Each structure stands twice: as structure tokens, then as C-alpha cells.
Amino acid sequence: MEDLKPMSSTAILHSDDIGGMEARFTELCKSGLSLDENTLTRATELFKESKHLLLANISAVGSGTPEEIERFWFAFILYSVKRLGEGNTGKVKQETDENGFTLCQILRVAKLNVVDFFKEMPQFFLKVGPILSNHYGADWEKRLEAKELQANFVHLSLLSKYYKRAYKEFFLTREESEGKQISTSYVSDYHRFGWLLFLALRTHAFSRFKDLVTCTNGLVAILAILILHIPVCLRNFSIHDCPRFVRKGNKGVDLLASLCNIYDTSEDELRRTMDKANNLIVDILKKTPRMASECRSENLANIDTDGLTYFEDLIEESSLSSSLIILEKDYDDAIRNKGELDERMFVNHDDSLLGTGSLSGGAVNNCGFKRKFDSMTSPSKTITTPLSPPRSPSASSANGGNFGVLKMAPTPVSTAMTTAKWLRSVISPLPSTPSAELQRFLSSCVKDVTNDVTRRAHIILEAIFPSSSLAERAGTGSLPSANLMDSIWAQQRRMEALKLYYRVLEAMCNAESQILHACNLTSLLTNERFHRCMIACSAELVLATHKTVTMLFPAVLESTGITAFDLSKVIESFIRHEESLPRELRRHLNSLEERLLESMVWEKGSSMYNSLTVARPALSAEINRMGLLAEPMPSLDAIAMLNNISCGGLPPLPSLQKHEASSGQNGDIRSPKRASSDYRNVLVDRNSFTSPVKERLLAYSLKSKLPPPLQSAFASPTRPNPGGGGETCAETGINVFFSKILKLAAVRINGLVERLQLSQQIRESVYCLVQQILSQKTTLFFNRHIDQIILCSLYGVAKISQLNLTFKEIIYNYRKQPQCKPQVFRSVFVDWSSTRRCGEHVDIITFYNEVFIPAVKPLLVELGPAGATPEANRVPEVNNNNDGQCPGSPRLTQFPSLPDMSPKKVSAAHNVYVSPLRSSKMDALISHSSKSYYACVGESTHAYQSPSKDLTAINNRLNGTRKRALNFDGLVSDSVVMGSLYLQNGSCASSSGAAALKSEQPDC
């Protein structure tokens, strides 16, 4: 891309225009936002200090005109001043009520939309971070809560669509009831009233913890209130004929139970949320509540009114307008000084502000092909027959009616509610103390560690889900009940995580005892790091289930004192040992491990570097020089003191043994409860990948047919590996870790090569180069993203292969990859501490020329043999079969075999895919009456016919006059398949020809 080229400050914006920029910024602040003098002074100061960064890094923000990029910069500065200035002024918020402004107001005057703002925001904070630290302190990023705000926007987008669909299924507009046509974007006053009441509920009752599940419960409660109060003539259903209201008692329809059945909500939670909503109606709208059983209203006919509240004049036409005004004012007062999004825009249909495109919400990832990609590229790909979340009971009981949701594909919100139902029905009923079986293992150690385990769990979970001091962080404008709800919410989440932790710990202990043929698991059960990783994983699953906005990953790492490398050791085992884990949570852990491997384990402060110094002593000097080593893990007492946690009389934990405090190593854990054929790890496939894991590392597993003990993964780095071979646990762990890195690299190289339509010899050469870099030039990975190394390797191989491939083309296609983030190629870490050059992050081309090529040039030269022509590196459309080698002369390939995903792409230039027949369709093939409707690859529909005639026969059948119904429910759209399901098996061709290697400026 052109914007990847190193650019001077005069490339787009000239230095002589600085005065004009300042004038435009001041005008926007005064005329557009009417800022007070204090805020204007702080904003102007931040702009002046950062304007040189705008000129120097103009290519890193946006891709539009210079004027648009300038407006992005203005918006980022104003948002930073608004969010961070609140904590520094020391003034009471009420003093600035008249001058309050929100993010939406900033975007309107800057003529930007929310989606584009969040997409470009990381580049700004990456560049301006040091300046913000000087002004607002080192914790500016935490106080800014930008990621939380983005996740909140994603949640509200989903919830608004969810509410709109549900509302239209239950209610008609007055125009529709009269048979008139209305615009699809029309929002009735009743619809708007429900959304504003929901926002009041979020603001006042939910307070800090605005997770997706709680908010969905709130929307369902609002629907219940609307059903009770919207005129019957506007209903899109009949209360006694509607098949959705399946639970009927002697007194009529049980409304709340029916809604819970439809939307997978908890009836207890729904009743509590309705009580809070009713209290808001009393407090804000000043309406008088009455027991529904005492009222005689047409709306309540055929409904069991026990326990329900009714407001006689809640949304009558005479009072609806005034109620809307009151709710609008209440919301204005609540958000004025928070600088947050104006959440009313989701019913105002302000498309110019909402923008187009999609965002990842951190805790939420809703794109279908992204989920497929996660499950395919995951380091812990363990699902061959996915365990689907349990379906709603209403799905089988409701037939017909005017409501189509039951037959629709699951939405992100409905999926979240189904996953929450698993947590509620499977985990919540479990005991909150170790079971008898787990206590047997805990008491069988050299010393009974039951008290240690319970004390540790109490402290760590209290640190992750704090219940104290939440009122101070919740902000103003909340009712007193909000603080109580915070405490209740935290207590519920702690209990869920605790029960899940005990459940999986017991399963792991059973598996380990089978491997070791002993019940004494002292080494594992006394390891502090192991337990914290298990607790963190349990807590992360609870947070992922509820899709919490305020505690996004890696919050659990910070609270527990562990690192990304530590957590990566238990993810695979956790998945293996919790058989009931819903598909969405498996996907979450899979994508989480991929995120850990691609960048987080390489960041400064990762415990991986502590292990690497033992396993690769030659790298110790560089690791120490760059200051990459992890700090010692904080003690439990330190965590308890930091979070003001009372241990409640629990016995103190004994001091850790030496091997417990040391950095442990990763291991390849395979539970005997499941055969390896059922649960494969995509990134650690022993049969398909041998380097750099030594052959003797496999001897233990092959000989015993059982996985190596889990406790070796957390053993002292210098301790000999129980598997033998003379390796230390650090060497074994690093080898396994490197094998995961290379497997992830193989998946991403394969996808990029296919998207670029390059030959398999290029694919193998790029993989070989990345493999050599990891082994011989490991320092290139330090503080960087794995994709940065892959992109540079691909361009380097293209150069030596004399392939006409530019960096612009590579980046253009990389942008289409599911895992792409612009900062990967816009901001690459460089270590120029030994020189006088300033700046630690450059674009990828500067990194390629000045860091990558000087280090990798010898490897590239060795990689380029003579004999191949550049034309051979492009994939022809015809005869491009990876599996077309002659069986008599097989050729070994260095590229690891990847899972044969379905559907499989069979054409590089066209969107043509082949998928094996599903088992559910097998009976149809066997049936004599239907088998002639199907054609199988390699099998003729008629005896002795050619393939072309077979296809002609199929077309004739489909185009004939006789109507035949074919079931295409298994098909997926091409947009879903393209760019994600690209994995292919097969060997590679020979390496490309040699060419002169140049480290000049790449062509773009």
C-alpha cells in the first residue's frame, strides 16, 4: 500500500500549515462544542504537543483525505481530554454540567462516525501514549476505558437489533394496525419508550457491570412491561392462541415463564430485573404502581397476574409524550459528564453517526466466518463433532404462529443466552466446596492442601470480581440499588468461577492419577502458578459467558499475577477436561490461545523469556539487555493487601517451595478420557510435525500411550524432564511452545499464499524461512507480532524467487485475513537503543529494510536454489491439485499437514468448494427412491458415462419440468467461505529459483 511507505512530514500535510490546523482546531472547540476555557486550554496544549506526531505519522491514521485525517486527530484529542481530564481537575462534576459534552457530539462536529473512530483510535494512542502518560499518569489507558467503550458499542448494536426484531414480532405500529405501509426505519413512540426505559435501567440499576446477559435480561423485562401496557389493538399476537406462550396455568398465561422459555433467561433474574424497572418507573416517571391482580384491564386478560405490577397511565396517549421527555432528560443528565456514547442513536437511526462495517468488541466476536476461522486455526482445536449448546425448550414445543425467531439462525445475543443457560443449569447447582473426590486428592498430598486451595481461590476470585469500592467507580447518577446490584453480581460470578474451577480441577486430578498410577499429586497440587492459571481460566470463561464490558481480557492476568505464557499452558487441558463446555466457550478459549501465541507471549514481561533463558542460554544476554524478563509472581498476601481482601479466618498459605515459585514450562497434555482422534490440537500435531521438537520428546508418549504428566508443565525449569532424553523441563516446554508457534504460522502462511494465488513451493519456502528464523534468529520475534515476521518472510521469498509481488499487494490481501489488525503493519517494534535514533515503532517496510533483511539475508540466500522460473510460482487455474502426486514417488514436505477442513477450496481463482457428505444425509443416499438425485465425486450416475455427461444429466434433472424439492440447508454463502476456509492438505513442489537478494525500498 502507498500508505506503508516511509513518509516525510511534508508528504501530505506541510509544516507551514500548522498555524492553519491550530486555528481550525480552536474553531471546532469553540463553535462546535462550546468548550469552557479550562477544557479548551488543556485540549490546545495536548494538540500542540502532539502535532509533530500527526505530521510524522500521517500514514498511520485513516486512509482518506488529509482533511479527514486531521479531523480524526482532533476527535482523538478531544475524547482523551474529556475522559482523562475528569480525574485531574479535582472539581465536583456538577460544576461542569453546563459544559459537558459527549463522544457523539465530538463525532458530529468532526463529521466522523463511531465505527471509523474506533478502527483508527489504536494508532493515535500508540503514538501519543507517552504524552498522555506525562499529562495524566501511567494509568491513563485504564482510565480512558477505550476498549470498554468499544465493547459497549458492539453490545448496544447487537441489543438494539435484538430488541427491534422482538418488538416487531410482538407489536404493530398504529399505521400497520390500520393497514398502512410504513418505512422500515420507522420507530414508534412505544418502541422508543421501551428503549429509553431500558437505557434508564442500564444507567441506574446495572451500574458498572453492563454485561450482555444482564442487559438482555433487562430487555426481556422491558418486553414484559410493554406486553402488559401497550394497547391490545397494537399486539401482533393473541395471548391465548400464540404458540410461544406455552406455560399456562389455571389463571392464564404465565407471562414471565413464557418469556424465559423463549429467550433462555432466568426466571428469578427476570423477576428481579422487572422489580428494578418498576421502581425506576416510580422514581423517574412518578407513576403509581398497583398489583396487577387488582386491576381490570383488557391488557391483562388471559394472563396470570400474580406477582405482576401494573401502571394504569404508563403509556396512555395522553401521557406518553411527557414520559418520553422525562426519560430523555434523565438520560441526558446521566451521560453529560461521562463522555460516553449517546445510546439513543440506535433508535434514532442516525446512520451518519453509526457508520458501516463491523467492529470486534474484545469480548464479543460475532462474525460467522470469524468463528469458523477461530475453530480452524485454534491452538487447541479439539472439536471434530462439536458439542452444540442446548437448544431452547421452546424450539420443540412451538409450531407455527406469526413469530419467526424460533426458526431463525442463532444470533450473537441468543447464543450468549444459551451459553449462560449452560452456566446456570450445569455449573451453578454444583457445590461451592471441593467434592469428596477432589478432597481425596487434596488430602493425599504430603500435606493436606484443602485449606490452601480454598484460601487461594477466595483471594484470587475476590481480586478478579471485587465487591468493595465499586460505588466509587460506578460514577454518579445511579440509584442506591445499583451498588447493591454490583455486589450481588460480583458474588454470583465468583461463585460460578469457583464451582467451575473445582469441577475441572477434579477431572484433571483423575486424569493425572491414571497417568501416574498414583493419588499423590503433591507436585501439581502445591504449585501456586498452576492453581492461579486454573482459577484465571475459570474466571475468564465466566466473563466470556456474560460478555462483560468492564473486565475484558487480559484483566484476569493482571488480577491473578500470572502472564500470558502461564495461561497458555492450561487452556488445552481445560478444554479437554470439561466435556460439557459449550461450543461458544470452546471457541473463545481457542481464539484466546491464538491471541496469546501470536503476540502476547512475546511481549515484555512474559514469563516465556524466563524459560527461554534456561532453554536457550545464548539468548540470555539479549533478553536481559532488552529487559524482557517477567517480574516475580506477587504473593497471595500481596494480592490480598492490594485489593483490601479479608481472608475471613482462612488459614495462611505456607511459603512456596523453590520449584513452585519458579517459572514453569508448557506441556502437551492429552487426557486419557478422550482419544486423540477425537480431540486434535491444530498447532501441536505430533504426527504431522517433528521440528523443532526432538524425537526423544515423543518417546514417552509413544511408549506409554498416555500423555506426559501435567505437573511437568509447571515444574522448575532446570528440573529434568520426566519423559527422559536428558532435557530439562524448560527445554521441553520451549520446544512444545515453538511447535505451536510454527503450526499457527503454517495456518496463516497457507491462507495468505492461497489468497495471493501463489504456488505451493512459495508456501513451503516461506514456512521454511519462518521456521529458521524462530530457531536461529529468535530475537526477531521479541516484542513483535508473528504476522509481522510472516509478511516480511513472504516478501523476502518473493524477491529471491524473482516474483513480481509488491508489499502493497501483500498488505492488500493481508487486510482480508480474519486476524488482520492495521497496527500489525503500521507499527512494528524496533530496538534502536544502541543508536541515537528516536522512536520505537516504525512501519513494516522500514522494519523490513533496516532490521529484518540485515538479520535474515544469510537465511534467504541459503533458501534460494537455482533452476526455477518466476512463472512457476503463480498458480495456474487448471491442474492445480495438491494431492495429485504419483503414488509411486511420494515426496516429503517440510510444510506441516493441516486439518482437512470442509468445505475445501478446489480452485485458486474461483470460489469452488467441495464438501464431504454429512452423515445426516447418508440415509437419503441409501434410499433407492432418492439416490439418483445425488452425484458423488468419482462415481457416475449412469453406467459407463463420462463426467461431462454426468453433469449434463444432473442439470437436465434440475431443469426438467417435474418439480423436485432439494434440501440446500447445508450450504454456506460464498462470503463466509472465502477468506476463512482455505486450508488444504497436500505436498509442496520444489523450491523456487535463486535470485539476487536486495534490501532496497520495496516496490509498492
Side-chain angles (χ1 to χ4, degrees):
M1 291 188 61
E2 294 296 337
D3 63 352
L4 285 177
K5 291 183 179 180
M7 304 177 66
S8 65
S9 61
T10 59
I12 294 181
L13 294 179
H14 299 276
S15 58
D16 57 3
D17 192 38
I18 292 179
M21 282 195 299
E22 292 184 12
R24 290 189 290 273
F25 179 71
T26 303
E27 177 67 17
L28 183 143
C29 293
K30 289 184 176 180
S31 301
L33 295 173
S34 302
L35 299 188
D36 61 89
E37 287 300 322
N38 181 37
T39 306
L40 178 61
T41 300
R42 289 186 285 114
T44 304
E45 183 180 356
L46 181 58
F47 173 77
K48 289 181 178 180
E49 289 191 40
S50 65
K51 61 188 176 184
H52 70 284
L53 295 173
L54 170 61
L55 295 174
N57 299 281
I58 196 68
S59 64
V61 179
S63 57
T65 63
E67 185 265 344
E68 180 187 33
I69 297 171
E70 182 181 284
R71 287 187 279 111
F72 269 117
W73 203 267
F74 292 170
F76 295 144
I77 288 175
L78 289 169
Y79 175 70
S80 302
V81 170
K82 172 63 181 176
R83 293 291 293 181
L84 299 176
E86 294 172 356
N88 265 18
T89 58
K91 297 181 180 180
V92 181
K93 289 185 178 181
Q94 283 75 1
E95 297 179 9
T96 61
D97 276 353
E98 297 301 323
N99 296 309
F101 60 97
T102 67
L103 174 58
C104 287
Q105 291 174 313
I106 296 174
L107 296 180
R108 284 194 179 96
V109 298
K111 299 178 182 179
L112 300 172
N113 63 67
V114 179
V115 172
D116 290 340
F117 176 83
F118 283 128
K119 284 183 177 179
E120 302 299 337
M121 184 170 56
Q123 304 307 315
F124 171 80
F125 292 125
L126 189 64
K127 303 297 181 183
V128 186
I131 297 176
L132 294 176
S133 294
N134 293 335
H135 277 267
Y136 300 108
D139 64 339
W140 66 268
E141 190 170 6
K142 184 176 181 181
R143 290 163 47 209
L144 192 70
E145 295 184 332
K147 294 180 181 178
E148 289 79 359
L149 187 65
Q150 178 175 335
N152 186 58
F153 173 77
V154 174
H155 283 184
L156 264 296
S157 300
L158 297 174
L159 289 167
S160 64
K161 295 175 184 177
Y162 187 79
Y163 171 64
K164 180 180 180 180
R165 181 171 55 252
Y167 183 90
K168 286 188 174 181
E169 288 171 349
F170 278 110
F171 306 107
L172 301 169
T173 63
R174 193 166 294 281
E175 290 77 9
E176 287 174 329
S177 67
E178 298 172 357
K180 299 179 181 179
Q181 295 292 329
I182 61 170
S183 171
T184 56
S185 61
Y186 174 76
V187 176
S188 68
D189 285 343
Y190 295 116
H191 185 147
R192 191 182 306 277
F193 174 86
W195 185 255
L196 289 175
L197 185 58
F198 166 68
L199 295 183
L201 193 63
R202 274 173 51 90
T203 303
H204 298 296
F206 296 162
S207 190
R208 178 172 170 79
F209 296 113
K210 298 181 178 70
D211 64 275
L212 188 63
V213 173
T214 301
C215 288
T216 304
N217 287 333
L219 272 183
V220 176
I222 299 301
L223 282 175
I225 293 175
L226 293 179
I227 290 174
L228 292 175
H229 293 87
I230 287 182
V232 174
C233 62
L234 299 182
R235 286 180 178 175
N236 197 25
F237 64 93
S238 173
I239 195 68
H240 55 274
D241 293 333
C242 179
R244 305 195 94 184
F245 299 117
V246 295
R247 297 189 180 183
K248 297 183 178 180
N250 297 329
K251 298 182 180 179
V253 170
D254 189 339
L255 180 61
L256 299 191
S258 298
L259 291 176
C260 291
N261 199 30
I262 295 169
Y263 297 109
D264 282 335
T265 58
S266 164
E267 187 169 348
D268 291 338
E269 288 293 333
L270 183 58
R271 290 188 180 277
R272 283 194 288 267
T273 306
M274 276 200 71
D275 289 341
K276 295 182 181 300
N278 290 331
N279 291 337
L280 285 175
I281 293 173
V282 174
D283 294 335
I284 299 176
L285 298 178
K286 309 302 181 184
K287 301 294 182 180
T288 302
R290 293 185 58 188
M291 295 179 60
S293 58
E294 300 177 355
C295 300
R296 296 294 178 264
S297 172
E298 183 183 7
N299 290 59
L300 302 178
N302 298 309
I303 295 178
D304 183 359
T305 56
D306 288 348
L308 298 180
T309 301
Y310 186 75
F311 300 89
E312 290 188 345
D313 60 342
L314 179 60
I315 47 180
E316 299 292 335
E317 290 189 5
S318 58
S319 61
L320 182 57
S321 297
S322 60
S323 295
L324 289 173
I325 293 173
I326 294 173
L327 289 175
E328 292 265 9
K329 184 180 184 302
D330 176 79
Y331 186 77
D332 279 330
D333 295 339
I335 70 166
R336 177 176 292 124
N337 284 298
K338 294 184 179 180
E340 295 180 352
L341 291 168
D342 187 338
E343 297 158 344
R344 293 170 294 186
M345 63 183 173
F346 294 102
V347 292
N348 294 336
H349 288 279
D350 192 349
D351 294 333
S352 62
L353 189 61
L354 288 173
T356 58
S358 60
L359 286 171
S360 170
V364 181
N365 214 321
N366 310 306
C367 181
F369 88 97
K370 172 63 178 173
R371 287 203 307 263
K372 188 69 175 179
F373 178 84
D374 286 344
S375 65
M376 178 178 56
T377 61
S378 159
S380 294
K381 169 71 167 56
T382 61
I383 308 172
T384 55
T385 56
L387 175 63
S388 300
R391 294 183 60 192
S392 167
S394 61
S396 59
S397 59
N399 297 305
N402 297 327
F403 301 89
V405 170
L406 292 177
K407 297 182 180 180
M408 291 178 62
T411 65
V413 176
S414 64
T415 301
M417 297 305 293
T418 305
T419 306
K421 184 178 181 180
W422 166 82
L423 198 63
R424 188 172 63 246
S425 59
V426 176
I427 302 302
S428 293
L430 297 175
S432 59
T433 56
S435 65
E437 180 69 7
L438 179 57
Q439 284 185 340
R440 182 174 67 87
F441 287 110
L442 298 178
S443 60
S444 297
C445 296
V446 174
K447 174 191 172 184
D448 190 340
V449 296
T450 303
N451 290 334
D452 300 340
V453 169
T454 55
R455 178 179 184 270
R456 181 189 298 108
H458 168 76
I459 293 175
I460 297 298
L461 289 175
E462 181 73 32
I464 297 174
F465 303 102
S467 57
S468 59
S469 302
L470 289 178
E472 300 175 4
R473 292 177 288 179
T476 60
S478 299
L479 296 179
S481 60
N483 298 331
L484 176 60
M485 190 163 185
D486 276 349
S487 179
I488 294 174
W489 187 95
Q491 176 61 30
Q492 290 173 338
R493 303 296 82 80
R494 282 198 301 269
M495 196 57 61
E496 290 168 347
L498 179 67
K499 294 175 179 179
L500 180 59
Y501 161 62
Y502 286 152
R503 177 185 173 99
V504 180
L505 181 61
E506 178 185 337
M508 285 187 174
C509 288
N510 278 316
E512 287 293 292
S513 66
Q514 293 181 39
I515 296 172
L516 301 175
H517 303 290
C519 293
N520 188 343
L521 304 177
T522 301
S523 179
L524 180 67
L525 294 178
T526 58
N527 191 291
E528 179 71 16
R529 196 176 296 268
F530 164 73
H531 283 288
R532 292 198 193 184
C533 290
M534 289 290 296
I535 297 172
C537 200
S538 301
E540 177 60 27
L541 285 180
V542 170
L543 291 171
T545 297
H546 291 272
K547 305 218 179 305
T548 312
V549 170
T550 52
M551 287 185 284
L552 301 176
F553 188 82
V556 294
L557 301 184
E558 300 166 0
S559 300
T560 55
I562 60 176
T563 71
F565 184 63
D566 297 329
L567 187 63
S568 69
K569 300 175 186 179
V570 301
I571 288 180
E572 183 183 351
S573 293
F574 203 102
I575 294 176
R576 292 179 185 279
H577 293 94
E578 181 44 61
E579 298 180 359
S580 68
L581 203 63
R583 180 187 302 179
E584 287 303 309
L585 294 184
R586 291 172 183 265
R587 285 171 174 160
H588 176 74
L589 288 180
N590 288 338
S591 60
L592 194 65
E593 188 173 11
E594 182 182 341
R595 180 179 169 188
L596 297 176
L597 293 176
E598 69 181 10
S599 62
M600 293 187 68
V601 293
W602 298 103
E603 293 175 357
K604 180 179 180 180
S606 171
S607 59
M608 185 273 299
Y609 292 112
N610 298 59
S611 299
L612 199 58
T613 56
V614 177
R616 306 285 191 274
L619 298 174
S620 298
E622 184 69 6
I623 292 174
N624 288 316
R625 185 188 69 80
M626 297 178 66
L628 299 176
L629 291 174
E631 295 293 330
M633 187 172 62
S635 66
L636 279 178
D637 290 338
I639 293 177
M641 184 177 299
L642 179 65
N643 294 275
N644 194 26
I645 299 172
S646 172
C647 296
L650 291 174
L653 196 66
S655 60
L656 299 177
Q657 299 176 12
K658 180 179 179 180
H659 74 275
E660 295 166 2
S662 303
S663 174
Q665 297 305 311
N666 203 350
D668 183 25
I669 314 305
R670 300 204 178 274
S671 168
K673 297 175 68 175
R674 300 194 179 193
S676 59
S677 60
D678 291 334
Y679 284 83
R680 290 180 57 199
N681 185 334
V682 171
L683 297 189
V684 186
D685 188 348
R686 299 296 198 189
N687 296 326
S688 62
F689 185 75
T690 56
S691 178
V693 182
K694 301 178 182 180
E695 291 296 333
R696 64 178 179 268
L697 179 62
L698 308 180
Y700 181 86
S701 297
L702 295 176
K703 182 178 179 180
S704 65
K705 296 184 180 180
L706 287 174
L710 179 61
Q711 56 194 9
S712 65
F714 290 90
S716 171
T718 56
R719 178 182 175 184
N721 177 33
E727 287 184 338
T728 63
C729 288
E731 290 176 303
T732 301
I734 289 297
N735 283 337
V736 173
F737 167 67
F738 277 10
S739 71
K740 290 186 176 184
I741 293 294
L742 288 173
K743 203 71 174 189
L744 176 60
V747 171
R748 295 191 171 179
I749 291 169
N750 193 75
L752 198 54
V753 165
E754 259 198 6
R755 193 176 287 281
L756 287 163
Q757 299 181 25
L758 302 177
S759 67
Q760 299 309 308
Q761 66 189 41
I762 294 295
R763 180 184 76 162
E764 183 173 341
S765 296
V766 175
Y767 173 77
C768 183
L769 179 59
V770 173
Q771 188 180 43
Q772 289 181 312
I773 292 172
L774 184 62
S775 176
Q776 302 177 35
K777 303 290 182 180
T778 314
T779 55
L780 280 178
F781 282 84
F782 292 178
N783 257 337
R784 297 190 180 103
H785 195 290
I786 184 177
D787 287 356
Q788 294 166 345
I789 306 301
I790 292 173
L791 293 173
C792 290
S793 299
L794 178 57
Y795 184 78
V797 169
K799 276 290 188 181
I800 66 166
S801 303
Q802 298 180 340
L803 187 63
N804 185 22
L805 182 66
T806 64
F807 236 127
K808 177 180 179 179
E809 188 176 356
I810 293 174
I811 296 301
Y812 175 79
N813 284 275
Y814 174 72
R815 280 179 177 270
K816 299 178 181 180
Q817 294 296 98
Q819 81 279 4
C820 172
K821 295 179 181 177
Q823 53 265 40
V824 169
F825 52 84
R826 287 178 174 174
S827 181
V828 187
F829 170 79
V830 290
D831 181 23
W832 282 337
S833 57
S834 58
T835 66
R836 295 184 178 180
R837 301 176 64 175
C838 60
E840 288 191 344
H841 290 85
V842 297
D843 61 66
I844 197 166
I845 291 182
T846 302
F847 167 73
Y848 175 88
N849 283 334
E850 303 198 20
V851 178
F852 184 83
I853 281 298
V856 177
K857 185 174 181 179
L859 300 179
L860 276 169
V861 172
E862 293 177 3
L863 195 63
T869 59
E871 290 77 10
N873 295 321
R874 287 288 184 175
V875 179
E877 166 60 20
V878 184
N879 206 18
N880 179 33
N881 187 357
N882 294 335
D883 299 324
Q885 296 183 23
C886 176
S889 56
R891 178 183 181 276
L892 294 178
T893 173
Q894 295 187 35
F895 197 85
S897 66
L898 299 176
D900 191 7
M901 299 302 295
S902 172
K904 178 180 178 181
K905 187 175 183 182
V906 294
S907 171
H910 297 90
N911 298 326
V912 180
Y913 301 85
V914 173
S915 179
L917 185 68
R918 291 184 297 173
S919 58
S920 60
K921 302 296 183 183
M922 190 61 67
D923 292 339
L925 273 179
I926 297 175
S927 171
H928 176 75
S929 61
S930 60
K931 66 179 181 181
S932 62
Y933 293 117
Y934 297 86
C936 299
V937 175
E939 180 180 353
S940 176
T941 54
H942 299 84
Y944 309 109
Q945 296 291 311
S946 66
S948 62
K949 292 183 179 180
D950 294 342
L951 294 176
T952 301
I954 295 172
N955 288 333
N956 290 338
R957 284 179 177 274
L958 295 177
N959 297 327
T961 57
R962 181 181 175 185
K963 294 182 180 180
R964 296 180 174 91
L966 297 179
N967 185 4
F968 291 105
D969 61 346
L971 297 181
V972 293
S973 65
D974 193 66
S975 61
V976 172
V977 176
M978 190 62 179
S980 59
L981 303 184
Y982 48 77
L983 296 182
Q984 298 182 16
N985 286 327
S987 56
C988 303
S990 60
S991 300
S992 59
L997 177 65
K998 297 180 181 180
S999 61
E1000 302 169 357
Q1001 177 67 42
D1003 301 324
C1004 285

